[in-house]
Amino acid sequence: GNSVTQMEGPVTLSEEAFLTINCTYTATGYPSLFWYVQYPGEGLQLLLKATKADDKGSNKGFEATYRKETTSFHLEKGSVQVSDSAVYFCALSEDNNDMRFGAGTRLTVKP
Amino acid sequence: NAGVTQTPKFRVLKTGQSMTLLCAQDMNHEYMYWYRQDPGMGLRLIHYSVGEGTTAKGEVPDGYNVSRLKKQNFLLGLESAAPSQTSVYFCASSPYTSGSADTQYFGPGTRLTVL
């Protein structure tokens, strides 16, 4: 079945550091890929998505590229801020009925 | 426009008690979902609905029932709560998109503790 594996946390960075959170997937077909973010005490919200190979999703300085050859969708940001502290989830879905989430990576950014 | 709302925010039950969690969305979305979130396991789908009057099982449906009598509401029921159902429950909704997966919009969650 479809599944997502993302790097374990927690990740602690200093403000303005470069961020990478690795995500790889296993899928039988051609899924859409997502990054969701969860701030403390809140539900998940979409950060970015990509629907086909070589697509790049971007939002709020975060980027991720859909790499079919390496089955990856790594999240990157060039300069993190304290306000980026949250839990990040990689997810995939081939249709609206079966979204699969990774375990989540907790990011803490220190001033 | 409130998006997706969940009631209640917190609840403590004793083993064997029953309860219903309510989810409401005002975005006219066709699809609605119930997930549970446990430490180190991400979110797992309990049940989902593709439209008013329809429901289907997800990855971890045992011990739960759902109903979608109105398009905007999706109820999750626990008939006889067990400690293993201690978790944070999230409701989500998404529009219908033919042939692909669309973004899901999440509620703020319900933290349930079963003693």
Side-chain angles (χ1 to χ4, degrees), chain A residues 13 32 38 57 62 109:
Chain A
L13 296 173
S32 295
Q38 183 180 32
F62 291 88
V109 180

Side-chain angles (χ1 to χ4, degrees), chain A residues 36 38 43-44 89 96-97 102, chain B residues 31 33 37 90 102 104 106-107:
Chain A
Y36 283 87
Q38 183 180 32
L44 280 70
F89 292 91
N96 277 332
N97 301 335
Chain B
Y31 290 81
Y33 314 84
Q37 182 182 30
F90 287 99
D102 210 321
Q104 294 186 13
F106 285 81

